[in-house]
Amino acid sequence: MIGSDIPALIPFTFLAFAILIPLLGLWKRQLSYYWAVLGAAIATGLSGYGFYNYVTETETIRYFFGGWEPPIGIEFVYDGLSGFIVLVINAIALFVLIHSRMIGKTEFPGKVTGYYSVTMLLMLGFNGMVLTGDLFNLYVFLEISSLASYALIGIGEKRAPYAAFRYLIIGTVGGSLYLLGVGFLYTITGTLNIIDMTAMLPEVISNSAVITALVLIVAGIGVKAALFPLHGWLPDSYTYASSTSSALIAPIGTKVAAYVLLRVVLYLFGVDIVDTAIPITEIIGVLAGIGILYGSIMAIAQSELKKMLAYSSISQIGYIIMGISLANPFGFIGAVLHVLNHALMKACLFLVAGNLRLKEGHSDITKFDESYRKKYPWTMLAFTTAALSMVGLPPLAGFFSKWYLALGTIENGSWLLLAVILLSSLLNAVYFFRILEKVYLRNPESDEDKAGILSSLRSNEVKPSMLWTTSVIAVGILAVGLLNAFIVSAIVTMFPAGL
Amino acid sequence: MIDFVLGHYAYWFTIILLAIGLYGMLIKDNLVKKIIGLSIFQTGVILFFVSVASKWDATVPVKSEAFPITEVSNYMNPLPHTLMLTAIVVGVATLGVAFALLITIYNRYETLNEQELLEKIQ
């Protein structure tokens, strides 16, 4: 039965296509785009099927590689949370890859085969990180996805290689710190399996090595998740990478790292330990709060759309990590829901930035004016939907995750964090309405007959493959907002023990 | 106190390696030296794992007539060493990607000094 093999099949699909694409690229290079889309489609189909299975049967699938049971063997665990995240990241990757055809032709011509092969490796790493049930495997998949993302960021503008190099240095230090933390845990417990270790940790929690391990792991994964003081690599990387790379890495990469943080903090160590024995949730809560405000304020100061979105990512990651740090049911729902919502919103916004770069050759906010509304009506409609969702207007998706996070802060009585959520919504409104005002209200610069210019402009939209992916994600934002009751009822089944 | 220092010399060695690696990455201007620092940092972590798993008067975990099988303390735990083989491979891959990026940077800006590079980028 295919159902029980789902956890292994999803990463294997990407691995197979990562090898197939260069081989088939020798034959016909232009086909590699279609192969990449096919690979992502198969993986999305499998994750959709697996999640449907999970929802109807509510059964965790544990896949043992080679039939060796843990703690000797390696296992992949497909439970509600990992299934949900896998479905979200694969679906987003599918849309971004469909969208990438024209960008590939203009931004990195002649490199498409390698590019799509590395993309498949990136997705292999992300899926492996989410599905694995073994801490050392997690490190290996973390490095696979990191190496792929350094390569993808390196393909881009002139400054991209230096941004990628800086990310490489910081990212490898993060990975090494994580590995060091795993080493501490291994010497104390003698196992690497997450489920085994969860059972053993409460007995050894007073050991100072365990505390050090938790700190090292949170610091290491925090680099990948761009938790506030460790975010330095993110703005340049996202800005100078090619439009497809940033649309792929921004919605997915940091989300997967946030998922690992969620898994380690709330499942591996457990709510009791991180709340009372080691009060690390307070620390990451404060850092997340500072990150939310810092990201929003820096985003207001940017005049380049992609850089603004990059800073806004730091702020939005803060919401997810704040949800983890609250360590109560509402915070958990808010964090998981925001993974989905922010993946959709950021993908939509970065795709719009890609559309504008393809057509106009830049995405400089100061040059936006009313002609954009005439030239790109649907792209701008998608942008408006995503922007309003980021600000948090009901019934769009962004409102509901913020609502649950706010409920979580009220339940914990952390009024400062509640103030941060409300304040940052206002700051979001400032930097998004600045663009909307220009696109919908400001006249073009030239003094000649302005009305004439505007009426003479015709719709000059991008190719259908780019337009409908952007639009479908925008509709998805609305749909997720309207259907959030169903999604939350699915998330409720995923609570870690003790919440 | 002296026992504490001498008894944990493997860990002190790890800490010193990590510190040297961080120093190289943070202070050095030359990008190649930064990569050297990175490599030292990774090696520090690898040596940590190896030193944790090593044991006096123990041998390889191979079942043989020459060693009594019943006594577990005669054998070393092979798992950390095996894991570190993977970690070394990861380190090599990281170095490869880093050098590829450095070649691109050098071709575009003709310098590997970070200060000069930042001036040229402006």
Side-chain angles (χ1 to χ4, degrees):
Chain A
M1 186 55 204
I2 193 171
S4 58
D5 294 336
I6 284 275
L9 280 176
I10 297 168
F12 178 76
T13 311
F14 284 116
L15 180 61
F17 275 88
I19 299 164
L20 272 177
I21 288 172
L23 289 180
L24 293 164
L26 291 175
W27 172 48
K28 265 192 181 152
R29 196 166 46 174
Q30 293 311 320
L31 283 182
S32 38
Y33 160 77
Y34 297 98
W35 285 106
V37 169
L38 180 67
I42 293 174
T44 311
L46 284 172
S47 2
Y49 173 73
F51 195 64
Y52 172 76
N53 256 7
Y54 174 81
V55 169
T56 49
E57 292 171 23
T58 322
E59 198 180 329
T60 302
I61 304 170
R62 295 177 68 182
Y63 184 89
F64 305 139
F65 273 90
W68 292 89
E69 288 193 21
I72 295 168
I74 295 165
E75 67 169 345
F76 270 21
V77 181
Y78 187 100
D79 59 4
L81 187 60
S82 56
F84 180 75
I85 304 282
V86 161
L87 180 59
V88 171
I89 63 175
N90 287 340
I92 295 288
L94 175 64
F95 280 109
V96 173
L97 282 176
I98 293 173
H99 178 272
S100 69
R101 185 153 163 256
M102 290 309 291
I103 293 177
K105 278 186 185 164
T106 52
E107 288 190 14
F108 42 88
K111 294 179 187 165
V112 280
T113 313
Y115 184 86
Y116 286 118
S117 177
V118 174
T119 310
M120 294 289 109
L121 278 181
L122 179 82
M123 293 311 296
L124 162 72
F126 286 148
N127 280 283
M129 273 169 84
V130 176
L131 287 170
T132 184
D134 182 291
L135 285 175
F136 187 77
N137 259 295
L138 209 159
Y139 168 73
V140 175
F141 282 119
L142 176 85
E143 287 294 336
I144 291 174
S145 65
S146 303
L147 288 173
S149 57
Y150 307 145
L152 290 184
I153 288 169
I155 299 175
E157 289 175 29
K158 205 179 171 209
R159 291 158 79 164
Y162 182 60
F165 180 79
R166 276 180 55 192
Y167 180 24
L168 185 143
I169 295 276
I170 302 173
T172 310
V173 172
S176 302
L177 288 180
Y178 170 81
L179 184 61
L180 199 59
V182 172
F184 275 72
L185 284 183
Y186 179 72
T187 46
I188 299 296
T189 61
T191 180
L192 287 167
N193 187 285
I194 293 179
I195 295 174
D196 272 9
M197 202 181 272
T198 310
M200 282 182 213
L201 272 179
E203 298 161 21
V204 291
I205 198 61
S206 54
N207 195 321
S208 57
V210 175
I211 300 169
T212 319
L214 179 63
V215 172
L216 285 172
I217 289 178
V218 168
I221 298 298
V223 170
K224 295 285 170 191
L227 181 59
F228 164 63
L230 311 168
H231 64 271
W233 55 272
L234 188 142
D236 281 357
S237 305
Y238 285 9
T239 312
Y240 302 128
S242 86
S243 305
T244 316
S245 306
S246 35
L248 202 58
I249 297 169
I252 302 174
T254 44
K255 298 306 157 320
V256 172
Y259 161 84
V260 174
L261 210 57
L262 186 72
R263 185 62 92 180
V264 168
V265 170
L266 291 187
Y267 286 77
L268 176 61
F269 281 84
V271 181
D272 295 337
I273 294 175
V274 292
D275 234 11
T276 51
I278 314 168
I280 197 153
T281 47
E282 282 179 32
I283 299 164
I284 59 174
V286 170
L287 291 181
I290 300 172
I292 290 172
L293 292 180
Y294 168 85
S296 303
I297 292 167
M298 289 300 285
I300 292 174
Q302 304 305 320
S303 63
E304 219 283 333
L305 182 59
K306 272 173 88 178
K307 200 152 202 167
M308 189 194 92
L309 295 178
Y311 275 108
S312 142
S313 274
I314 297 172
S315 153
Q316 302 291 321
I317 278 293
Y319 284 121
I320 299 172
I321 293 172
M322 181 196 279
I324 301 170
S325 76
L326 293 172
N328 61 25
F330 285 127
F332 182 84
I333 294 174
V336 178
L337 199 58
H338 205 65
V339 169
L340 169 65
N341 293 345
H342 183 236
L344 284 170
M345 296 185 291
K346 258 299 135 53
C348 186
L349 291 168
F350 268 108
L351 291 187
V352 168
N355 289 355
L356 290 180
R357 285 203 163 201
L358 185 72
K359 280 287 173 188
E360 294 280 324
H362 69 86
S363 54
D364 195 344
I365 296 170
T366 51
K367 292 182 187 159
F368 285 16
D369 55 35
E370 211 179 350
S371 63
Y372 282 60
R373 173 172 63 94
K374 292 275 181 186
K375 280 190 279 186
Y376 319 111
W378 295 105
T379 302
M380 280 305 152
L381 187 62
F383 180 85
T384 311
T385 315
L388 292 180
S389 175
M390 292 283 269
V391 174
L393 243 62
L396 295 167
F399 167 74
F400 293 99
S401 42
K402 282 188 187 176
W403 173 254
Y404 282 109
L405 286 173
L407 287 179
T409 53
I410 292 169
E411 191 175 299
N412 273 16
S414 31
W415 305 110
L416 214 57
L417 291 184
L418 182 64
V420 164
I421 292 178
L422 298 178
L423 185 60
S424 82
S425 290
L426 288 177
L427 293 173
N428 275 357
V430 170
Y431 61 80
F432 279 116
F433 279 112
R434 187 177 51 146
I435 298 173
L436 294 181
E437 183 257 340
K438 282 188 173 150
V439 170
Y440 288 97
L441 296 172
R442 192 171 85 166
N443 285 328
E445 290 293 332
S446 61
D447 290 331
E448 294 164 39
D449 185 15
K450 286 168 188 166
I453 293 173
L454 279 180
S455 60
S456 70
L457 283 173
R458 277 207 219 107
S459 173
N460 184 24
E461 278 286 5
V462 285
K463 284 258 166 38
S465 72
M466 297 174 78
L467 189 61
W468 75 255
T469 41
T470 318
S471 316
V472 164
I473 294 182
V475 172
I477 294 171
L478 185 62
V480 166
L482 293 174
L483 297 174
N484 86 91
F486 295 103
I487 298 168
V488 168
S489 66
I491 293 174
V492 168
T493 64
M494 303 169 192
F495 281 158
L499 201 68
Chain B
M1 180 62 201
I2 205 85
D3 279 351
F4 177 72
V5 175
L6 290 179
H8 297 83
Y9 66 90
Y11 301 120
W12 294 116
F13 187 58
T14 306
I15 290 167
I16 291 167
L17 275 185
L18 293 182
I20 293 173
L22 269 182
Y23 167 81
M25 277 183 279
L26 292 174
I27 308 291
K28 291 294 176 190
D29 269 340
N30 191 311
L31 297 185
V32 178
K33 286 186 180 168
K34 275 185 195 288
I35 295 183
I36 294 172
L38 183 76
S39 198
I40 294 173
F41 192 82
Q42 283 183 317
T43 314
V45 178
I46 290 168
L47 283 178
F48 170 75
F49 268 81
V50 172
S51 66
V52 159
S54 75
K55 216 192 267 182
W56 293 116
D57 300 327
T59 183
V60 285
V62 176
K63 229 177 173 181
S64 160
E65 291 295 314
F67 309 109
I69 304 162
T70 48
E71 196 58 45
V72 182
S73 62
N74 282 341
Y75 300 105
M76 267 191 236
N77 183 0
L79 186 62
H81 298 91
T82 326
L83 296 180
M84 283 312 106
L85 282 181
T86 315
I88 289 167
V89 173
V90 167
V92 171
T94 313
L95 277 184
V97 174
F99 283 128
L101 286 172
L102 277 195
I103 291 170
T104 321
I105 291 172
Y106 189 78
N107 283 341
R108 285 191 190 172
Y109 297 103
E110 305 210 318
T111 177
L112 284 179
N113 185 302
E114 192 164 38
Q115 300 304 326
E116 288 177 24
L117 192 63
L118 286 172
E119 278 166 24
K120 285 192 180 179
I121 281 177
Q122 286 309 314

